[in-house]
Amino acid sequence: MNTKDVVSKFDSLINRLEQSKEKFSIHPEKDFSRNRKISFGFIVRSILSFGGSTLTNELLRMGKYSPDSPSPSAFIQQRSKISHTAFTKLFHMGNLAFDQDLRYKGYRLMAVDGSHVQVPNNPDDPDSYVKCTENERPHNEFHLNAMMDILQGIYTDAVIQKYRTQNEDRALIEMAERSQNADSIAICDRGYESYNNMAHLQICGWKYIMRIKEPGRYGIASGLQLPDCDEYDLPIHLSLTRRKNRETKELLKDRNRYRYIPGSVGFDYLPSKNKHGDPVCFFTLDFRVVRIQTGDGLYELLVTNLPASDFPAEELRKLYALRWGIETSFRDLKYIVGMLKFHSRKSDFVTQEIYANLIMYNLTQIIAGCVQVPSKKRKYEYKVRFSAAVNIARSLLLKDVSPPDAETLLRRMITPVRPNRSYSRKPRTKARIQFVYRIS
């Protein structure tokens, strides 16, 4: 597939969406019932191509600086007629249309993670309000839960939550249960450590590699009897129960075979309350606890339900390291695609733009993947520079550049691939960007 084919297919997806616009209109009986300059398709393309500038300047750019360019107020009036579900639908349509079905030993590799998204201040939305310390200003945040196909480098699903109602565990379960890719491996960090998540993935037919806390830190490992050595690979056949009677108390002495789950701990496959005389219910989990070395004196503890014959400890080390791809994608999504610079305070509009940024990230990755970088005798391999590819993808969407010219430009905009590079994290407070201080 070349760039022209990708653009043509994506245009057809937007046209299909516009043909069923009544499904995504707030008032389908009257919204977009007349032909207007600001059509349904124009709004979708505009929001997809938003950059970091003000709404006025974005509309001027999209209107080719014509005197007939739509005004911000007219655009917002038409935009308010579209539900954010239009962009959710386009996001999933694009994933189906461009799916390459790349697999590793018969499995699709799915990294799962979450990231806070700082949005413009909105006092009317208490669910996204963040309580701040003395040195911080009040602000609003959404939480993006995303699933990424590591081998393709694109997002396959997302759940958007507000700060005060966020729940990464429920988001993971939701994405796994509605996925049609049963032969998948979910690769998760310590934030998803729970028996409930493991049980849901097992029921869905998914495999998983999940990092967990070391013993003594109130996690899964603290309830197990693990070897006293640096590296090990221990199979566990664990039966979970919520009953603690004379019979089960004797069984619970074997910590690697039985585990009591209190009623206050969420677990969806056992009754939260038991009446006297009810039979004892068990839910069985089969997994391995694997401790691997990741560096000088550094170790990580993983749980997985992958077979040891096909996925020994060394394979798990490689696969878990691939999860870092979703971490770097969040950086590109925010600072290159522009998921830090929104063009409205309204929650529905913010959700529209988050999905639009996910779509543009995927489209950019697909377009960049169509370009063959010329091979030369160099120290490093080279790839298309993502920051340049985003702007070219926007120009293709707005018909400002032809696909052949875009490919020529992309072959020139390349950057070296330097594997095995690592940097220490330096978290710092980010200043919020007000509408009056946007990039012009």
Side-chain angles (χ1 to χ4, degrees):
M1 185 179 293
N2 56 32
T3 304
K4 183 179 179 181
D5 295 334
V6 171
V7 174
S8 176
K9 183 177 286 190
F10 192 74
D11 285 340
S12 68
L13 295 179
I14 295 178
N15 292 335
R16 281 171 51 192
L17 191 73
E18 187 169 17
Q19 289 170 6
S20 56
K21 58 191 174 188
E22 65 280 353
K23 297 180 181 178
F24 309 105
S25 300
I26 303 299
H27 303 289
E29 68 282 354
K30 63 178 182 178
D31 290 341
F32 301 105
S33 58
R34 294 184 294 169
N35 292 326
R36 291 180 178 269
K37 182 170 62 176
I38 307 178
S39 64
F40 182 96
F42 177 84
I43 296 171
V44 171
R45 288 180 183 276
S46 300
I47 295 173
L48 289 173
S49 63
F50 275 168
S53 187
T54 61
L55 179 58
T56 300
N57 289 334
E58 294 287 356
L59 293 174
L60 287 173
R61 178 175 59 84
M62 285 177 276
K64 309 296 190 293
Y65 297 94
S66 166
D68 295 329
S69 298
S71 66
S73 60
F75 181 84
I76 291 171
Q77 288 180 42
Q78 291 295 93
R79 178 184 183 178
S80 62
K81 298 176 182 179
I82 299 179
S83 168
H84 70 267
T85 56
F87 292 88
T88 309
K89 179 66 175 179
L90 184 60
F91 172 71
H92 291 294
M93 288 168 61
N95 287 338
L96 290 174
F98 296 106
D99 183 24
Q100 300 179 44
D101 195 20
L102 301 180
R103 294 175 182 260
Y104 180 88
K105 292 188 176 182
Y107 293 97
R108 305 187 71 156
L109 303 182
M110 300 294 187
V112 183
D113 206 352
S115 181
H116 293 304
V117 181
Q118 190 166 323
V119 301
N121 282 15
N122 185 1
D124 297 329
D125 187 12
D127 286 340
S128 64
Y129 175 77
V130 179
K131 187 177 181 179
C132 302
T133 62
E134 293 180 359
N135 298 325
E136 292 180 320
R137 293 182 179 180
H139 62 278
N140 292 66
E141 276 187 6
F142 278 41
H143 193 75
L144 170 63
N145 305 273
M147 182 177 289
M148 167 173 276
D149 188 319
I150 299 174
L151 298 181
Q152 294 188 74
I154 64 172
Y155 292 103
T156 58
D157 204 353
V159 174
I160 299 171
Q161 301 167 331
K162 294 185 179 180
Y163 177 81
R164 292 189 177 277
T165 57
Q166 62 182 309
N167 188 320
E168 287 191 335
D169 293 335
R170 284 296 161 192
L172 167 63
I173 293 168
E174 180 181 339
M175 291 187 287
E177 288 183 343
R178 71 184 175 204
S179 173
Q180 298 180 0
N181 301 317
D183 297 329
S184 300
I185 302 175
I187 306 176
C188 316
D189 66 2
R190 287 179 297 185
Y192 296 92
E193 175 184 354
S194 78
Y195 286 124
N196 193 44
N197 289 342
M198 294 164 63
H200 274 277
L201 291 171
Q202 179 176 290
I203 292 293
C204 292
W206 278 50
K207 302 298 182 182
Y208 55 83
I209 302 172
M210 189 179 295
R211 186 182 175 189
I212 62 173
K213 303 180 186 73
E214 292 283 346
R217 297 185 180 180
Y218 303 102
I220 290 173
S222 297
L224 301 173
Q225 190 170 357
L226 301 175
D228 186 16
C229 55
D230 291 337
E231 294 185 284
Y232 50 81
D233 189 340
L234 180 67
I236 300 289
H237 180 80
L238 192 65
S239 295
L240 309 176
T241 183
R242 289 198 189 273
R243 292 294 295 273
K244 215 171 190 181
N245 53 23
R246 184 179 303 174
E247 175 189 352
T248 58
K249 283 182 179 179
E250 191 65 28
L251 295 174
L252 292 169
K253 292 179 180 178
D254 190 344
R255 295 167 57 189
N256 286 4
R257 293 191 60 191
Y258 295 94
R259 175 74 172 174
Y260 170 69
I261 305 295
S264 59
V265 176
F267 192 83
D268 298 332
Y269 297 102
L270 289 173
S272 57
K273 294 182 180 180
N274 293 280
K275 295 181 180 179
H276 182 72
D278 287 348
V280 179
C281 296
F282 291 98
F283 185 93
T284 303
L285 286 172
D286 289 293
F287 57 92
R288 298 155 53 201
V289 181
V290 185
R291 196 168 192 258
I292 58 175
Q293 186 172 6
T294 58
D296 294 337
L298 299 176
Y299 295 87
E300 289 181 358
L301 198 59
L302 307 175
V303 291
T304 180
N305 59 349
L306 288 166
S309 56
D310 296 329
F311 294 88
E314 183 60 32
E315 284 285 308
L316 298 181
R317 180 188 290 108
K318 294 177 182 177
L319 292 179
Y320 187 77
L322 294 176
R323 193 200 67 84
W324 190 249
I326 194 171
E327 297 275 5
T328 58
S329 74
F330 286 145
R331 177 198 62 198
D332 294 340
L333 193 62
K334 292 179 180 180
Y335 294 97
I336 297 178
V337 180
M339 205 175 65
L340 288 178
K341 302 176 179 65
F342 294 91
H343 300 80
S344 177
R345 291 184 172 89
K346 292 184 178 180
S347 297
D348 202 55
F349 289 1
V350 168
T351 306
Q352 287 180 1
E353 293 193 35
I354 291 176
Y355 271 109
N357 284 316
L358 291 170
I359 294 167
M360 284 306 300
Y361 181 94
N362 286 355
L363 183 62
T364 301
Q365 289 283 63
I366 293 165
I367 290 173
C370 295
V371 177
Q372 294 291 332
V373 178
S375 58
K376 298 180 181 179
K377 291 184 178 180
R378 296 165 168 161
K379 181 178 179 180
Y380 300 106
E381 293 184 3
Y382 278 71
K383 65 177 182 179
V384 174
R385 194 188 318 152
F386 187 79
S387 58
V390 168
N391 289 318
I392 292 173
R394 287 193 181 111
S395 298
L396 284 166
L397 188 63
L398 298 174
K399 312 300 181 185
D400 290 339
V401 63
S402 66
D405 289 343
E407 289 193 6
T408 302
L409 288 169
L410 289 170
R411 288 192 188 95
R412 294 170 53 191
M413 306 296 177
I414 57 177
T415 186
V417 179
R418 300 181 177 93
N420 302 322
R421 300 183 87 190
S422 61
Y423 302 93
S424 59
R425 283 188 172 183
K426 297 179 181 179
R428 55 187 182 272
T429 304
K430 302 291 190 306
R432 55 198 173 100
I433 300 174
Q434 295 287 6
F435 289 131
V436 293
Y437 296 114
R438 299 295 290 275
I439 301 169
S440 61

